[in-house]
Amino acid sequence: MTESSPATPTTPAAQPDAVGVVDPMRIPGVGRARQAWHRLPVLGQAFVVLVAIDVVVRALGLFGTQLFFDIGNPLSVITAFVPHDALILLPAVLIWRRPDAVEALPLVMRGAILVALVELLNAPLRGLTSGNQLDPFVGPTVISIAATFLMAAGWVTLAIGLRELNPPKSEQSTAGLANVVAGAIALAAIGNLAGVLLLPGTDVGDARWNALLQLNSAMYVLQTVALAYLARIVVLGNGDARRPSIARTTATAAMALLAIGSFMTTVISLLALTQAAFAQSLGLGAGPIWLVIGLLTGPIAMTALVVAFGLGLADPSGTIEPAVETHQPIRS
């Protein structure tokens, strides 16, 4: 009887596809990213592309825009991209979470698209119109006024859409927190309005330009009020058990941070106007600690709100995983 030679032992190293071995020609995560891209509806893909275009345009300094990225400043890695690009991505995040968001959440999607487009086009359009040598002021200021108004409209539309998902009646503690958060943000709006009405405005040497500056400041008051309304609706939704708890908690924390930032800014501004020496002695608004607070209560908080939508803030399915059904066929 002839003995057969023993089979060569198979080890993971001998099998390129074995578990634990990475194909040297394959970048980890690319497959999942490609799959996510293919299942994302066309509208979502469009906003992802717009974010890429925005980064390139700002990096090249086109249309008077800047990326504000400095290798010597590590924090610019954050501030160069968020919340600006995160807000532009908001429609894509919503559609990634719910491919049927356009039909199922029409107001939420309209508000998100309006916010994203304003965030995308505001700076380039102001840069384009500022090139008018005869009147470099009116064009950019009018665009800024229109953009601020449209951003406020986007926040309100988003809030109305989310309000439809909220329970008819919230718990007393949730309602109280919502009022506190919205009130703190609204307080900043009241402070800004008082400044517009009571403080002497900037004189740029032209009555028409001065009026436009004052109107521009008033529009920021409107935008802050709209954000306060959105904050109240978001926090009231914290009592909706149908939506993932992590999404509700993240959104509530984001709005609370925005409220803290708004309140602190109002107090510091008031002290700077009435007790300038005292404010300077305390170092209010200056130093590393205030920089960290500003990041947490500004860019990071707003970005966290976008993340909350990705976690299911507008998805009453109650699951943490995004829906996989889509009207667009999934390509292999």
Side-chain angles (χ1 to χ4, degrees), residues 18-41:
V19 177
V21 178
V22 179
D23 189 334
M25 298 300 293
R26 184 183 304 162
I27 301 176
V30 170
R32 293 188 63 182
R34 185 184 295 112
Q35 184 181 10
W37 172 260
H38 286 167
R39 83 172 187 85
L40 189 65

Side-chain angles (χ1 to χ4, degrees), residues 53 158 201 228 250:
I53 293 174
L158 198 60
T250 301

Side-chain angles (χ1 to χ4, degrees), residues 199-211:
L199 297 178
T202 303
D203 188 358
V204 292
D206 186 292
R208 183 182 54 170
W209 292 3
N210 291 339

Side-chain angles (χ1 to χ4, degrees), residues 120-210:
L120 173 71
L121 298 175
N122 184 12
L125 289 178
R126 284 190 287 112
L128 284 173
T129 54
S130 64
N132 186 350
Q133 296 182 354
L134 296 178
D135 194 343
F137 184 85
V138 172
T141 307
V142 169
I143 289 175
S144 177
I145 292 170
T148 306
F149 176 80
L150 291 174
M151 183 66 80
W155 291 137
V156 171
T157 305
L158 198 60
I160 294 174
L162 287 175
R163 187 180 62 183
E164 296 177 353
L165 301 175
N166 285 354
K169 187 176 181 180
S170 300
E171 295 182 1
Q172 187 173 359
S173 58
T174 301
L177 178 61
N179 291 335
V180 170
V181 169
I185 298 176
L187 180 63
I190 295 173
N192 290 335
L193 180 60
V196 172
L197 297 177
L198 302 177
L199 297 178
T202 303
D203 188 358
V204 292
D206 186 292
R208 183 182 54 170
W209 292 3
N210 291 339

Side-chain angles (χ1 to χ4, degrees), residues 93-95 97-113 157-158 160-165 242-243 309 312-316:
V93 170
L94 282 166
I95 295 178
R97 176 72 200 194
R98 291 197 61 170
D100 64 342
V102 174
E103 296 82 11
L105 305 166
L107 286 177
V108 173
M109 278 302 302
R110 290 171 191 169
I113 290 173
T157 305
L158 198 60
I160 294 174
L162 287 175
R163 187 180 62 183
E164 296 177 353
L165 301 175
R242 299 174 305 161
R243 288 176 274 176
F309 279 103
L313 182 61
D315 184 5

